[in-house]
Amino acid sequence: MGEQDGLARRFEAHRDHMHALAYRILGTRSDAEDAVQEAWIRFSRRSDTSGVDNLRGWLTPWYSTR
C-alpha cells in the first residue's frame, strides 16, 4: 500500500465529521462537499504529513476560515 492510500484512509475516517462541520458553517450540502474535497486536496498535497498526528484537529480550523 502506498503513502497516498494511507493518507486517504486517515482522511476518510474523518469525512463524516468534516462534512457535518462544513455543512453547519457553509449551509449547503454542495458547498460542504466542495469544502471536504478542498481539504483533501490541501492535505494530500502536503509534502510532509508525518507531523499531522491529529488530522481532525488539523482540518477543523481550516473550515472556519474558508
Side-chain angles (χ1 to χ4, degrees), residues 5-32:
D5 291 334
L7 291 176
R9 267 199 337 270
R10 287 178 65 197
F11 189 86
E12 286 299 321
H14 299 287
R15 180 179 280 280
D16 289 343
H17 166 76
M18 293 183 300
H19 191 274
L21 177 62
Y23 179 74
R24 283 193 303 263
I25 292 170
L26 301 172
T28 68
R29 290 180 186 190
S30 63
D31 286 345

Side-chain angles (χ1 to χ4, degrees), residues 12 33 35-36:
E12 286 299 321
E33 187 56 36
V36 170

Side-chain angles (χ1 to χ4, degrees), residues 4 7 11 39-47 49 58:
Q4 197 71 8
L7 291 176
F11 189 86
W40 163 246
I41 291 168
R42 184 174 179 227
F43 179 68
S44 68
R45 289 186 178 168
R46 284 179 56 102
S47 59
T49 59
W58 185 85

